Amino acid sequence: MLLLDLNLRLAYFLQPYLDDISLALMATCLVIYGDKVNGFVKRQVSAWVFIARIMAFILMCTFGYGLLTLWGQPVIYWAITQVDLVYRPLAIFASFCLLGVLAERKRYL
C-alpha cells in the first residue's frame, strides 16, 4: 500500500505540470522527427528559386514548427489526462523513455 500511496502522491504532484510535460513531449518529438519535416519541405521547394527557398525555410521554422507545437501539445495533454491517475506517472515516464529510445535509434544520443 505504501507504493500505491506514493504513486498517487506523485500523480497529484504532477497534475499542475501536465501542460509543461505535454509541451516537453511535443518539443522532443519535433526534435527527433524535425529532419523528416525538413526533408519533406526540401523536396517540395527544391525547384523554387533561391529567395523563395529561403523564405519557405524561414516560414517553416517560425510558423510551421510553432503551429505543430501549438496544435500537438493539447492533443498530448488530452492523451495524458485520459490515462487513469494510478497509471499516469508510469505513462509519463514510459513516454519519455520511449522518446529516448527513438532518439538513440536515430543516433541523437
Side-chain angles (χ1 to χ4, degrees):
M1 290 309 235
L2 178 65
L3 193 59
L4 289 175
D5 187 45
L6 287 173
N7 187 47
L8 278 175
R9 285 178 188 235
L10 181 61
Y12 284 120
F13 174 76
L14 291 175
Q15 189 68 28
Y17 303 105
L18 291 182
D19 279 333
D20 298 328
I21 291 169
S22 59
L23 182 62
L25 286 168
M26 186 67 211
T28 306
C29 288
L30 287 175
V31 167
I32 293 173
Y33 292 107
D35 60 335
K36 299 277 188 192
V37 175
N38 289 348
F40 174 77
V41 173
K42 183 178 179 180
R43 283 189 302 276
Q44 298 299 316
V45 302
S46 63
W48 295 5
V49 295
F50 176 74
I51 298 296
R53 287 195 313 260
I54 297 290
M55 292 305 297
F57 178 76
I58 292 170
L59 290 173
M60 178 193 62
C61 288
T62 54
F63 298 109
Y65 286 121
L67 285 175
L68 284 173
T69 303
L70 285 175
W71 291 340
Q73 186 265 344
V75 173
I76 294 173
Y77 178 83
W78 176 83
I80 291 172
T81 58
Q82 296 306 303
V83 175
D84 191 36
L85 198 62
V86 176
Y87 302 112
R88 196 172 291 166
L90 179 63
I92 291 170
F93 179 74
S95 298
F96 279 110
C97 287
L98 176 65
L99 288 174
V101 168
L102 292 172
E104 176 67 28
R105 285 182 149 190
K106 293 187 68 125
R107 306 243 187 241
Y108 286 134
L109 295 178

